[in-house]
PDB file of all heavy atoms in Angstrom:
ATOM      1  N   GLY A  58       8.619  12.036  23.795  1.00 80.00           N
ATOM      2  CA  GLY A  58       7.757  12.595  22.756  1.00 80.00           C
ATOM      3  C   GLY A  58       7.876  11.835  21.445  1.00 80.00           C
ATOM      4  O   GLY A  58       6.871  11.561  20.774  1.00 80.00           O
ATOM      5  N   ALA A  59       9.099  11.467  21.075  1.00 80.00           N
ATOM      6  CA  ALA A  59       9.301  10.728  19.825  1.00 80.00           C
ATOM      7  C   ALA A  59       8.670   9.342  19.909  1.00 80.00           C
ATOM      8  O   ALA A  59       8.058   8.866  18.949  1.00 80.00           O
ATOM      9  CB  ALA A  59      10.790  10.616  19.520  1.00 80.00           C
ATOM     10  N   THR A  60       8.796   8.695  21.063  1.00 78.00           N
ATOM     11  CA  THR A  60       8.211   7.367  21.235  1.00 78.00           C
ATOM     12  C   THR A  60       6.691   7.429  21.132  1.00 78.00           C
ATOM     13  O   THR A  60       6.074   6.587  20.469  1.00 78.00           O
ATOM     14  CB  THR A  60       8.629   6.773  22.599  1.00 78.00           C
ATOM     15  OG1 THR A  60      10.051   6.746  22.665  1.00 78.00           O
ATOM     16  CG2 THR A  60       8.074   5.381  22.792  1.00 78.00           C
ATOM     17  N   GLU A  61       6.103   8.421  21.759  1.00 74.00           N
ATOM     18  CA  GLU A  61       4.643   8.564  21.689  1.00 74.00           C
ATOM     19  C   GLU A  61       4.190   8.832  20.264  1.00 74.00           C
ATOM     20  O   GLU A  61       3.200   8.274  19.794  1.00 74.00           O
ATOM     21  CB  GLU A  61       4.185   9.691  22.610  1.00 74.00           C
ATOM     22  CG  GLU A  61       4.304   9.369  24.076  1.00 74.00           C
ATOM     23  CD  GLU A  61       3.984  10.564  24.965  1.00 74.00           C
ATOM     24  OE1 GLU A  61       3.525  11.598  24.448  1.00 74.00           O
ATOM     25  OE2 GLU A  61       4.189  10.451  26.179  1.00 74.00           O
ATOM     26  N   THR A  62       4.930   9.684  19.545  1.00 70.00           N
ATOM     27  CA  THR A  62       4.563  10.000  18.164  1.00 70.00           C
ATOM     28  C   THR A  62       4.643   8.763  17.287  1.00 70.00           C
ATOM     29  O   THR A  62       3.743   8.492  16.498  1.00 70.00           O
ATOM     30  CB  THR A  62       5.487  11.105  17.615  1.00 70.00           C
ATOM     31  OG1 THR A  62       5.381  12.247  18.443  1.00 70.00           O
ATOM     32  CG2 THR A  62       5.115  11.464  16.207  1.00 70.00           C
ATOM     33  N   LEU A  63       5.727   8.001  17.424  1.00 68.00           N
ATOM     34  CA  LEU A  63       5.871   6.789  16.613  1.00 68.00           C
ATOM     35  C   LEU A  63       4.805   5.757  16.966  1.00 68.00           C
ATOM     36  O   LEU A  63       4.296   5.061  16.092  1.00 68.00           O
ATOM     37  CB  LEU A  63       7.268   6.196  16.793  1.00 68.00           C
ATOM     38  CG  LEU A  63       8.397   6.974  16.137  1.00 68.00           C
ATOM     39  CD1 LEU A  63       9.740   6.338  16.471  1.00 68.00           C
ATOM     40  CD2 LEU A  63       8.208   7.034  14.634  1.00 68.00           C
ATOM     41  N   THR A  64       4.459   5.663  18.227  1.00 64.00           N
ATOM     42  CA  THR A  64       3.422   4.720  18.629  1.00 64.00           C
ATOM     43  C   THR A  64       2.081   5.108  18.021  1.00 64.00           C
ATOM     44  O   THR A  64       1.334   4.248  17.555  1.00 64.00           O
ATOM     45  CB  THR A  64       3.305   4.677  20.166  1.00 64.00           C
ATOM     46  OG1 THR A  64       4.571   4.325  20.706  1.00 64.00           O
ATOM     47  CG2 THR A  64       2.261   3.680  20.615  1.00 64.00           C
ATOM     48  N   ASN A  65       1.798   6.401  17.998  1.00 56.00           N
ATOM     49  CA  ASN A  65       0.532   6.861  17.436  1.00 56.00           C
ATOM     50  C   ASN A  65       0.503   6.704  15.924  1.00 56.00           C
ATOM     51  O   ASN A  65      -0.552   6.441  15.336  1.00 56.00           O
ATOM     52  CB  ASN A  65       0.273   8.319  17.807  1.00 56.00           C
ATOM     53  CG  ASN A  65       0.016   8.481  19.292  1.00 56.00           C
ATOM     54  OD1 ASN A  65      -0.360   7.536  19.974  1.00 56.00           O
ATOM     55  ND2 ASN A  65       0.232   9.685  19.797  1.00 56.00           N
ATOM     56  N   LEU A  66       1.644   6.900  15.276  1.00 58.00           N
ATOM     57  CA  LEU A  66       1.682   6.817  13.819  1.00 58.00           C
ATOM     58  C   LEU A  66       1.700   5.381  13.314  1.00 58.00           C
ATOM     59  O   LEU A  66       1.173   5.092  12.242  1.00 58.00           O
ATOM     60  CB  LEU A  66       2.921   7.546  13.279  1.00 58.00           C
ATOM     61  CG  LEU A  66       2.915   9.061  13.371  1.00 58.00           C
ATOM     62  CD1 LEU A  66       4.226   9.613  12.831  1.00 58.00           C
ATOM     63  CD2 LEU A  66       1.752   9.637  12.587  1.00 58.00           C
ATOM     64  N   ALA A  67       2.344   4.511  14.052  1.00 55.00           N
ATOM     65  CA  ALA A  67       2.518   3.141  13.575  1.00 55.00           C
ATOM     66  C   ALA A  67       1.214   2.378  13.704  1.00 55.00           C
ATOM     67  O   ALA A  67       0.697   2.171  14.787  1.00 55.00           O
ATOM     68  CB  ALA A  67       3.619   2.452  14.363  1.00 55.00           C
ATOM     69  N   ARG A  68       0.711   2.013  12.580  1.00 56.00           N
ATOM     70  CA  ARG A  68      -0.456   1.147  12.566  1.00 56.00           C
ATOM     71  C   ARG A  68       0.033  -0.240  12.194  1.00 56.00           C
ATOM     72  O   ARG A  68       1.045  -0.374  11.509  1.00 56.00           O
ATOM     73  CB  ARG A  68      -1.469   1.646  11.529  1.00 56.00           C
ATOM     74  CG  ARG A  68      -2.100   2.971  11.931  1.00 56.00           C
ATOM     75  CD  ARG A  68      -3.055   3.411  10.886  1.00 56.00           C
ATOM     76  NE  ARG A  68      -2.308   4.285   9.962  1.00 56.00           N
ATOM     77  CZ  ARG A  68      -2.752   4.725   8.824  1.00 56.00           C
ATOM     78  NH1 ARG A  68      -3.925   4.379   8.397  1.00 56.00           N
ATOM     79  NH2 ARG A  68      -2.029   5.507   8.067  1.00 56.00           N
ATOM     80  N   PRO A  69      -0.676  -1.259  12.607  1.00 62.00           N
ATOM     81  CA  PRO A  69      -0.214  -2.589  12.245  1.00 62.00           C
ATOM     82  C   PRO A  69      -0.149  -2.716  10.725  1.00 62.00           C
ATOM     83  O   PRO A  69      -1.116  -2.454  10.022  1.00 62.00           O
ATOM     84  CB  PRO A  69      -1.254  -3.536  12.831  1.00 62.00           C
ATOM     85  CG  PRO A  69      -2.220  -2.704  13.580  1.00 62.00           C
ATOM     86  CD  PRO A  69      -1.897  -1.276  13.375  1.00 62.00           C
ATOM     87  N   SER A  70       1.009  -3.063  10.239  1.00 70.00           N
ATOM     88  CA  SER A  70       1.167  -3.249   8.797  1.00 70.00           C
ATOM     89  C   SER A  70       2.003  -4.479   8.558  1.00 70.00           C
ATOM     90  O   SER A  70       2.741  -4.932   9.428  1.00 70.00           O
ATOM     91  CB  SER A  70       1.801  -2.025   8.160  1.00 70.00           C
ATOM     92  OG  SER A  70       3.070  -1.809   8.694  1.00 70.00           O
ATOM     93  N   SER A  71       1.861  -5.009   7.368  1.00 85.00           N
ATOM     94  CA  SER A  71       2.580  -6.217   7.037  1.00 85.00           C
ATOM     95  C   SER A  71       2.918  -6.196   5.563  1.00 85.00           C
ATOM     96  O   SER A  71       2.183  -5.626   4.744  1.00 85.00           O
ATOM     97  CB  SER A  71       1.699  -7.426   7.367  1.00 85.00           C
ATOM     98  OG  SER A  71       2.367  -8.608   7.021  1.00 85.00           O
ATOM     99  N   MET A  72       4.025  -6.824   5.237  1.00 89.00           N
ATOM    100  CA  MET A  72       4.395  -6.926   3.834  1.00 89.00           C
ATOM    101  C   MET A  72       3.862  -8.250   3.295  1.00 89.00           C
ATOM    102  O   MET A  72       4.018  -9.297   3.922  1.00 89.00           O
ATOM    103  CB  MET A  72       5.913  -6.873   3.689  1.00 89.00           C
ATOM    104  CG  MET A  72       6.357  -6.813   2.251  1.00 89.00           C
ATOM    105  SD  MET A  72       8.131  -6.779   2.094  1.00 89.00           S
ATOM    106  CE  MET A  72       8.417  -8.473   1.700  1.00 89.00           C
ATOM    107  N   VAL A  73       3.217  -8.165   2.154  1.00 91.00           N
ATOM    108  CA  VAL A  73       2.699  -9.374   1.512  1.00 91.00           C
ATOM    109  C   VAL A  73       3.322  -9.472   0.127  1.00 91.00           C
ATOM    110  O   VAL A  73       3.739  -8.474  -0.471  1.00 91.00           O
ATOM    111  CB  VAL A  73       1.157  -9.361   1.410  1.00 91.00           C
ATOM    112  CG1 VAL A  73       0.532  -9.360   2.792  1.00 91.00           C
ATOM    113  CG2 VAL A  73       0.665  -8.205   0.594  1.00 91.00           C
ATOM    114  N   SER A  74       3.374 -10.666  -0.373  1.00 90.00           N
ATOM    115  CA  SER A  74       3.880 -10.858  -1.730  1.00 90.00           C
ATOM    116  C   SER A  74       2.835 -11.612  -2.538  1.00 90.00           C
ATOM    117  O   SER A  74       1.979 -12.308  -1.990  1.00 90.00           O
ATOM    118  CB  SER A  74       5.207 -11.605  -1.713  1.00 90.00           C
ATOM    119  OG  SER A  74       5.055 -12.859  -1.114  1.00 90.00           O
ATOM    120  N   GLY A  75       2.914 -11.481  -3.808  1.00 92.00           N
ATOM    121  CA  GLY A  75       1.965 -12.088  -4.726  1.00 92.00           C
ATOM    122  C   GLY A  75       2.184 -11.476  -6.096  1.00 92.00           C
ATOM    123  O   GLY A  75       3.281 -10.988  -6.412  1.00 92.00           O
ATOM    124  N   ARG A  76       1.139 -11.493  -6.891  1.00 92.00           N
ATOM    125  CA  ARG A  76       1.250 -10.904  -8.231  1.00 92.00           C
ATOM    126  C   ARG A  76      -0.118 -10.366  -8.605  1.00 92.00           C
ATOM    127  O   ARG A  76      -1.074 -11.123  -8.767  1.00 92.00           O
ATOM    128  CB  ARG A  76       1.709 -11.956  -9.214  1.00 92.00           C
ATOM    129  CG  ARG A  76       2.049 -11.434 -10.579  1.00 92.00           C
ATOM    130  CD  ARG A  76       2.708 -12.566 -11.386  1.00 92.00           C
ATOM    131  NE  ARG A  76       2.839 -12.213 -12.763  1.00 92.00           N
ATOM    132  CZ  ARG A  76       3.963 -11.823 -13.347  1.00 92.00           C
ATOM    133  NH1 ARG A  76       5.058 -11.718 -12.625  1.00 92.00           N
ATOM    134  NH2 ARG A  76       4.001 -11.547 -14.618  1.00 92.00           N
ATOM    135  N   ALA A  77      -0.205  -9.018  -8.724  1.00 93.00           N
ATOM    136  CA  ALA A  77      -1.469  -8.380  -9.091  1.00 93.00           C
ATOM    137  C   ALA A  77      -1.222  -7.476 -10.286  1.00 93.00           C
ATOM    138  O   ALA A  77      -0.280  -6.684 -10.302  1.00 93.00           O
ATOM    139  CB  ALA A  77      -2.030  -7.581  -7.923  1.00 93.00           C
ATOM    140  N   LEU A  78      -2.042  -7.596 -11.310  1.00 93.00           N
ATOM    141  CA  LEU A  78      -1.904  -6.820 -12.534  1.00 93.00           C
ATOM    142  C   LEU A  78      -2.309  -5.372 -12.293  1.00 93.00           C
ATOM    143  O   LEU A  78      -3.357  -5.095 -11.705  1.00 93.00           O
ATOM    144  CB  LEU A  78      -2.780  -7.427 -13.648  1.00 93.00           C
ATOM    145  CG  LEU A  78      -2.802  -6.694 -14.975  1.00 93.00           C
ATOM    146  CD1 LEU A  78      -1.422  -6.735 -15.631  1.00 93.00           C
ATOM    147  CD2 LEU A  78      -3.844  -7.293 -15.893  1.00 93.00           C
ATOM    148  N   CYS A  79      -1.463  -4.433 -12.747  1.00 93.00           N
ATOM    149  CA  CYS A  79      -1.783  -3.007 -12.644  1.00 93.00           C
ATOM    150  C   CYS A  79      -2.687  -2.657 -13.826  1.00 93.00           C
ATOM    151  O   CYS A  79      -2.271  -2.781 -14.985  1.00 93.00           O
ATOM    152  CB  CYS A  79      -0.513  -2.163 -12.723  1.00 93.00           C
ATOM    153  SG  CYS A  79       0.671  -2.450 -11.400  1.00 93.00           S
ATOM    154  N   PRO A  80      -3.931  -2.238 -13.565  1.00 92.00           N
ATOM    155  CA  PRO A  80      -4.811  -1.878 -14.679  1.00 92.00           C
ATOM    156  C   PRO A  80      -4.329  -0.601 -15.363  1.00 92.00           C
ATOM    157  O   PRO A  80      -3.648   0.225 -14.759  1.00 92.00           O
ATOM    158  CB  PRO A  80      -6.170  -1.671 -14.018  1.00 92.00           C
ATOM    159  CG  PRO A  80      -5.866  -1.383 -12.593  1.00 92.00           C
ATOM    160  CD  PRO A  80      -4.576  -2.076 -12.269  1.00 92.00           C
ATOM    161  N   VAL A  81      -4.673  -0.442 -16.624  1.00 90.00           N
ATOM    162  CA  VAL A  81      -4.275   0.735 -17.380  1.00 90.00           C
ATOM    163  C   VAL A  81      -5.283   1.834 -17.092  1.00 90.00           C
ATOM    164  O   VAL A  81      -6.504   1.638 -17.198  1.00 90.00           O
ATOM    165  CB  VAL A  81      -4.219   0.411 -18.894  1.00 90.00           C
ATOM    166  CG1 VAL A  81      -3.851   1.654 -19.683  1.00 90.00           C
ATOM    167  CG2 VAL A  81      -3.242  -0.706 -19.163  1.00 90.00           C
ATOM    168  N   SER A  82      -4.778   3.006 -16.714  1.00 89.00           N
ATOM    169  CA  SER A  82      -5.675   4.128 -16.402  1.00 89.00           C
ATOM    170  C   SER A  82      -6.048   4.859 -17.693  1.00 89.00           C
ATOM    171  O   SER A  82      -5.602   4.498 -18.780  1.00 89.00           O
ATOM    172  CB  SER A  82      -5.001   5.077 -15.413  1.00 89.00           C
ATOM    173  OG  SER A  82      -3.846   5.641 -16.001  1.00 89.00           O
ATOM    174  N   GLY A  83      -6.839   5.898 -17.563  1.00 88.00           N
ATOM    175  CA  GLY A  83      -7.338   6.667 -18.706  1.00 88.00           C
ATOM    176  C   GLY A  83      -6.233   7.295 -19.547  1.00 88.00           C
ATOM    177  O   GLY A  83      -6.378   7.453 -20.761  1.00 88.00           O
ATOM    178  N   ASN A  84      -5.126   7.650 -18.937  1.00 90.00           N
ATOM    179  CA  ASN A  84      -4.049   8.294 -19.692  1.00 90.00           C
ATOM    180  C   ASN A  84      -3.050   7.285 -20.262  1.00 90.00           C
ATOM    181  O   ASN A  84      -2.052   7.660 -20.854  1.00 90.00           O
ATOM    182  CB  ASN A  84      -3.322   9.321 -18.835  1.00 90.00           C
ATOM    183  CG  ASN A  84      -2.616   8.712 -17.640  1.00 90.00           C
ATOM    184  OD1 ASN A  84      -2.669   7.508 -17.432  1.00 90.00           O
ATOM    185  ND2 ASN A  84      -1.980   9.556 -16.845  1.00 90.00           N
ATOM    186  N   GLY A  85      -3.295   5.998 -20.062  1.00 85.00           N
ATOM    187  CA  GLY A  85      -2.430   4.964 -20.623  1.00 85.00           C
ATOM    188  C   GLY A  85      -1.363   4.470 -19.672  1.00 85.00           C
ATOM    189  O   GLY A  85      -0.654   3.511 -19.971  1.00 85.00           O
ATOM    190  N   ALA A  86      -1.212   5.071 -18.532  1.00 88.00           N
ATOM    191  CA  ALA A  86      -0.200   4.660 -17.554  1.00 88.00           C
ATOM    192  C   ALA A  86      -0.774   3.570 -16.653  1.00 88.00           C
ATOM    193  O   ALA A  86      -1.988   3.515 -16.421  1.00 88.00           O
ATOM    194  CB  ALA A  86       0.230   5.849 -16.708  1.00 88.00           C
ATOM    195  N   PRO A  87       0.065   2.706 -16.111  1.00 90.00           N
ATOM    196  CA  PRO A  87      -0.448   1.660 -15.209  1.00 90.00           C
ATOM    197  C   PRO A  87      -0.835   2.248 -13.851  1.00 90.00           C
ATOM    198  O   PRO A  87      -0.170   3.125 -13.327  1.00 90.00           O
ATOM    199  CB  PRO A  87       0.724   0.694 -15.082  1.00 90.00           C
ATOM    200  CG  PRO A  87       1.926   1.496 -15.395  1.00 90.00           C
ATOM    201  CD  PRO A  87       1.494   2.556 -16.361  1.00 90.00           C
ATOM    202  N   ASP A  88      -1.935   1.770 -13.271  1.00 90.00           N
ATOM    203  CA  ASP A  88      -2.415   2.211 -11.957  1.00 90.00           C
ATOM    204  C   ASP A  88      -2.047   1.140 -10.942  1.00 90.00           C
ATOM    205  O   ASP A  88      -2.825   0.238 -10.652  1.00 90.00           O
ATOM    206  CB  ASP A  88      -3.934   2.436 -12.010  1.00 90.00           C
ATOM    207  CG  ASP A  88      -4.475   2.973 -10.705  1.00 90.00           C
ATOM    208  OD1 ASP A  88      -3.660   3.349  -9.822  1.00 90.00           O
ATOM    209  OD2 ASP A  88      -5.713   3.031 -10.550  1.00 90.00           O
ATOM    210  N   CYS A  89      -0.843   1.251 -10.405  1.00 91.00           N
ATOM    211  CA  CYS A  89      -0.343   0.216  -9.499  1.00 91.00           C
ATOM    212  C   CYS A  89      -0.865   0.373  -8.078  1.00 91.00           C
ATOM    213  O   CYS A  89      -0.762  -0.563  -7.278  1.00 91.00           O
ATOM    214  CB  CYS A  89       1.181   0.186  -9.535  1.00 91.00           C
ATOM    215  SG  CYS A  89       1.777  -0.439 -11.128  1.00 91.00           S
ATOM    216  N   LYS A  90      -1.417   1.519  -7.713  1.00 92.00           N
ATOM    217  CA  LYS A  90      -2.040   1.683  -6.399  1.00 92.00           C
ATOM    218  C   LYS A  90      -3.236   0.746  -6.292  1.00 92.00           C
ATOM    219  O   LYS A  90      -3.428   0.064  -5.280  1.00 92.00           O
ATOM    220  CB  LYS A  90      -2.452   3.151  -6.195  1.00 92.00           C
ATOM    221  CG  LYS A  90      -3.316   3.411  -4.974  1.00 92.00           C
ATOM    222  CD  LYS A  90      -2.576   3.169  -3.674  1.00 92.00           C
ATOM    223  CE  LYS A  90      -3.434   3.626  -2.504  1.00 92.00           C
ATOM    224  NZ  LYS A  90      -3.353   2.742  -1.373  1.00 92.00           N
ATOM    225  N   ALA A  91      -4.023   0.668  -7.358  1.00 92.00           N
ATOM    226  CA  ALA A  91      -5.179  -0.228  -7.362  1.00 92.00           C
ATOM    227  C   ALA A  91      -4.724  -1.686  -7.262  1.00 92.00           C
ATOM    228  O   ALA A  91      -5.349  -2.503  -6.569  1.00 92.00           O
ATOM    229  CB  ALA A  91      -6.006  -0.012  -8.623  1.00 92.00           C
ATOM    230  N   ALA A  92      -3.607  -2.028  -7.922  1.00 93.00           N
ATOM    231  CA  ALA A  92      -3.098  -3.398  -7.862  1.00 93.00           C
ATOM    232  C   ALA A  92      -2.588  -3.717  -6.461  1.00 93.00           C
ATOM    233  O   ALA A  92      -2.808  -4.823  -5.953  1.00 93.00           O
ATOM    234  CB  ALA A  92      -1.992  -3.588  -8.898  1.00 93.00           C
ATOM    235  N   ALA A  93      -1.920  -2.767  -5.809  1.00 93.00           N
ATOM    236  CA  ALA A  93      -1.439  -2.984  -4.440  1.00 93.00           C
ATOM    237  C   ALA A  93      -2.619  -3.152  -3.491  1.00 93.00           C
ATOM    238  O   ALA A  93      -2.590  -4.020  -2.606  1.00 93.00           O
ATOM    239  CB  ALA A  93      -0.554  -1.829  -4.001  1.00 93.00           C
ATOM    240  N   ASP A  94      -3.652  -2.349  -3.658  1.00 93.00           N
ATOM    241  CA  ASP A  94      -4.853  -2.490  -2.830  1.00 93.00           C
ATOM    242  C   ASP A  94      -5.479  -3.874  -3.019  1.00 93.00           C
ATOM    243  O   ASP A  94      -5.857  -4.534  -2.057  1.00 93.00           O
ATOM    244  CB  ASP A  94      -5.875  -1.403  -3.170  1.00 93.00           C
ATOM    245  CG  ASP A  94      -5.456  -0.028  -2.671  1.00 93.00           C
ATOM    246  OD1 ASP A  94      -4.540   0.059  -1.819  1.00 93.00           O
ATOM    247  OD2 ASP A  94      -6.037   0.970  -3.137  1.00 93.00           O
ATOM    248  N   LYS A  95      -5.572  -4.328  -4.278  1.00 92.00           N
ATOM    249  CA  LYS A  95      -6.171  -5.634  -4.557  1.00 92.00           C
ATOM    250  C   LYS A  95      -5.331  -6.749  -3.951  1.00 92.00           C
ATOM    251  O   LYS A  95      -5.873  -7.688  -3.352  1.00 92.00           O
ATOM    252  CB  LYS A  95      -6.312  -5.846  -6.065  1.00 92.00           C
ATOM    253  CG  LYS A  95      -6.978  -7.159  -6.420  1.00 92.00           C
ATOM    254  CD  LYS A  95      -7.247  -7.261  -7.884  1.00 92.00           C
ATOM    255  CE  LYS A  95      -7.939  -8.531  -8.307  1.00 92.00           C
ATOM    256  NZ  LYS A  95      -7.925  -9.671  -7.475  1.00 92.00           N
ATOM    257  N   LEU A  96      -4.005  -6.657  -4.059  1.00 92.00           N
ATOM    258  CA  LEU A  96      -3.123  -7.666  -3.485  1.00 92.00           C
ATOM    259  C   LEU A  96      -3.306  -7.745  -1.969  1.00 92.00           C
ATOM    260  O   LEU A  96      -3.380  -8.838  -1.393  1.00 92.00           O
ATOM    261  CB  LEU A  96      -1.671  -7.358  -3.839  1.00 92.00           C
ATOM    262  CG  LEU A  96      -0.606  -8.350  -3.407  1.00 92.00           C
ATOM    263  CD1 LEU A  96      -0.825  -9.705  -4.075  1.00 92.00           C
ATOM    264  CD2 LEU A  96       0.775  -7.824  -3.755  1.00 92.00           C
ATOM    265  N   CYS A  97      -3.412  -6.592  -1.311  1.00 91.00           N
ATOM    266  CA  CYS A  97      -3.598  -6.563   0.146  1.00 91.00           C
ATOM    267  C   CYS A  97      -4.986  -7.047   0.543  1.00 91.00           C
ATOM    268  O   CYS A  97      -5.146  -7.763   1.547  1.00 91.00           O
ATOM    269  CB  CYS A  97      -3.346  -5.158   0.679  1.00 91.00           C
ATOM    270  SG  CYS A  97      -1.602  -4.693   0.625  1.00 91.00           S
TER     271      CYS A  97
END
């Protein structure tokens, strides 16, 4: 059961490196989710 669950949950993923600027959101905090999406 655990093997089947992990197989179903695991989608192909990969770690990438680079440098993407986190844009400033409306409240002044950096939006790093958008930067991670752009890098990927």
Side-chain angles (χ1 to χ4, degrees):
T60 303
E61 289 174 8
T62 302
L63 288 176
T64 303
N65 292 338
L66 289 178
R68 291 179 267 170
S70 61
S71 178
M72 187 181 100
V73 296
S74 60
R76 188 171 170 103
L78 177 65
C79 298
V81 178
S82 63
N84 64 359
D88 183 10
C89 291
K90 170 67 172 141
D94 288 345
K95 182 173 181 341
L96 184 63
C97 289

